[in-house]
Amino acid sequence: MQRFLFTRKQTASNKTPRWINRNLLFNFIRTRQSVSRADLARLSGLQRSTVSLIVEELIADKWILEGATGRLPRGRRPTMIQLNDQRAVIALDIHPTQTTVAVADLGGKIVAQNIIAIPSGAKEALPAIISGIKKMMAAHKERSFDGIGICLPGRADLHLKKLIFAPNLNWPVLGIKSRIERATGLRVEMDNVANACALSEVWFGDSDGTHDLVAVNVSEGIGTGIFANGQLLRGDNGMAGEFGHVQIDPDGPLCGCGNNGCWETLASHRAALRYYSELAPSQSKITFDQLLRLCQAGDKKAIEALSMMAVQLGRGIRMISSALAPNEIVVVGDVTGVWHVLGPIVEAELKKNSLLAKLPHLRPAYDGNAARLRSAVALVLSESSV
């Protein structure tokens, strides 16, 4: 299946190979739809004849469709080009106790989603997920699925197709790729959720792929995805970016990795809930979503607990800033829903005693609460994911 480069660092010329021009035009259509052939020629700098040939190829391959005709003051009315919204991707966002199964179109819009509770018995977890995928596909028979993207809360060896580091996942996922492929007949691409979110920010966010960025995924744990020099930085055995397991406080809480006081024990969802339980012992049995709602309602103890989390989050982000000096750092996760409260705290910590003359641009992910699902589209369609 044809896959695409989602960075916009390449410029078109007569000497550029056809596949780069195809990537270029597909990305213009994806990011600016609807557009005309004349618009594409102007944006890309390619000759109109070249644009027409590539557009016809993309139409023949059913990546794009001709839509309505545009309006001009005079002259021939152009036919607008748009993505084929009947093509879609199945997105899986895996958490320790639940998995979200969704349908996303090529533009990253979440069409439908369903949450599957993971059974207490580890052997039942994967069959429950496969059943959820099949039900979602059956409910959207009118769509053509290009594959399944899986966001994992751990590091996967993409060549051996197995999970190699997932301290927060308490059920086995060995063979998840091959078993889902056999059960559905679809190709499966899986990666660490932070890596996937870094790709997603290049595709859907404000990043153009020419500048280095770090995606910080805040959930039950903390993961970081590093996009540098136009590609994901994976490191040996795919372990690059495990800043969540850098020890911050040797006397801190025990981490799932076996150490004490790792960054994620101080700045994750679990940390915020622990802070809240210490501040309000009688109301401690709540979920992170409930904690966010309390914060939005003005609950002082919820705001204080999340503020404590934000301080630690900012300190870890300062560590990343000093270590990698990226152009931007993007925070992903449900915490972005109260970024107006927490963002200034995180940014203040980032600025403290910084070694850098120019700090990274710190921002929440575009549509942060859906970023993990949306990133599955990037996994399935992007050449950068392989």
Side-chain angles (χ1 to χ4, degrees):
M1 186 194 74
Q2 173 70 42
R3 301 167 83 180
F4 297 91
L5 288 174
F6 294 129
T7 61
R8 297 183 284 280
K9 64 181 180 179
Q10 294 145 323
T11 56
S13 72
N14 291 334
K15 296 181 181 180
T16 307
R18 171 67 66 87
W19 69 270
I20 292 182
N21 288 337
R22 179 183 169 106
N23 286 332
L24 190 72
L25 294 184
F26 180 79
N27 285 326
F28 278 129
I29 296 166
R30 177 178 55 78
T31 57
R32 298 170 184 257
Q33 62 175 323
S34 298
V35 294
S36 67
R37 289 170 174 80
D39 291 331
L40 291 172
R42 176 177 52 81
L43 291 166
S44 66
L46 293 170
Q47 294 183 358
R48 289 198 180 193
S49 58
T50 301
V51 169
S52 293
L53 283 172
I54 294 174
V55 165
E56 293 307 315
E57 287 179 2
L58 292 171
I59 291 174
D61 290 342
K62 299 181 180 180
W63 287 107
I64 62 175
L65 299 171
E66 290 184 323
T69 55
R71 293 185 177 277
L72 294 176
R74 56 183 176 273
R76 184 178 178 182
R77 297 174 64 180
T79 300
M80 308 306 285
I81 306 298
Q82 62 191 45
L83 293 180
N84 180 0
D85 60 9
Q86 293 304 301
R87 293 187 76 155
V89 167
I90 294 288
L92 265 66
D93 180 18
I94 294 179
H95 289 259
T97 60
Q98 67 180 40
T99 292
T100 302
V101 180
V103 174
D105 66 20
L106 299 186
K109 178 182 177 182
I110 306 302
V111 177
Q113 61 179 299
N114 186 36
I115 295 176
I116 301 169
I118 300 300
S120 56
K123 291 183 179 179
E124 289 78 32
L126 190 50
I129 291 173
I130 291 173
S131 175
I133 294 171
K134 288 182 175 180
K135 288 178 181 178
M136 188 64 76
M137 292 173 64
H140 296 272
K141 290 181 179 179
E142 76 283 1
R143 294 182 182 271
S144 172
F145 293 104
D146 285 286
I148 299 173
I150 303 178
C151 294
L152 293 165
R155 299 286 168 174
D157 186 318
L158 302 183
H159 299 290
L160 298 178
K161 303 178 182 179
K162 66 179 183 179
L163 207 62
I164 57 176
F165 182 69
N168 295 318
L169 205 59
N170 55 13
W171 54 274
V173 293
L174 290 179
I176 185 173
K177 177 181 171 73
S178 59
R179 288 183 64 181
I180 292 178
E181 284 180 335
R182 287 197 302 269
T184 64
L186 296 176
R187 178 174 53 86
V188 171
E189 297 295 336
M190 65 180 189
D191 206 337
N192 169 263
V193 61
N195 283 345
C197 287
L199 280 178
S200 181
E201 282 303 311
V202 173
W203 192 10
F204 296 109
D206 297 328
S207 303
D208 61 4
T210 64
H211 299 97
D212 295 354
L213 72 86
V214 176
V216 178
N217 177 64
V218 183
S219 186
E220 295 87 4
I222 290 182
T224 55
I226 304 166
F227 191 89
N229 300 319
Q231 61 185 357
L232 285 174
L233 179 63
R234 296 191 179 277
D236 192 31
N237 290 324
M239 290 294 291
E242 282 298 330
F243 285 98
H245 293 284
V246 172
Q247 190 179 60
I248 303 296
D249 179 7
D251 298 319
L254 180 66
C255 181
C257 71
N259 289 326
N260 286 85
C262 293
W263 181 30
E264 72 172 42
T265 68
L266 306 175
S268 65
H269 291 187
R270 292 172 176 173
L273 291 172
R274 188 178 68 251
Y275 299 144
Y276 184 74
S277 70
E278 294 168 355
L279 294 168
S282 62
Q283 306 174 54
S284 60
K285 293 188 179 299
I286 64 171
T287 65
F288 189 73
D289 285 341
Q290 291 171 325
L291 183 62
L292 293 179
R293 287 196 290 270
L294 286 172
C295 174
Q296 291 166 336
D299 183 281
K300 291 183 179 180
K301 291 181 178 178
I303 293 171
E304 185 178 353
L306 287 166
S307 297
M308 293 168 68
M309 170 193 180
V311 168
Q312 298 296 340
L313 186 59
R315 290 174 179 172
I317 286 176
R318 185 171 70 237
M319 169 181 62
I320 293 171
S321 173
S322 299
L324 301 177
N327 179 261
E328 62 180 336
I329 297 176
V330 185
V331 178
V332 181
D334 294 338
V335 70
T336 59
V338 291
W339 196 249
H340 61 288
V341 177
L342 305 186
I345 300 172
V346 176
E347 189 147 9
E349 287 297 324
L350 170 62
K351 292 178 179 178
K352 284 184 179 179
N353 303 316
S354 174
L355 301 175
L356 302 178
K358 180 178 178 294
L359 288 172
H361 173 52
L362 175 68
R363 64 176 176 85
Y366 164 73
D367 194 15
N369 61 349
R372 292 167 65 117
L373 291 173
R374 196 176 56 243
S375 65
V377 181
L379 284 181
V380 171
L381 299 183
S382 175
E383 289 189 351
S384 298
S385 66
V386 295

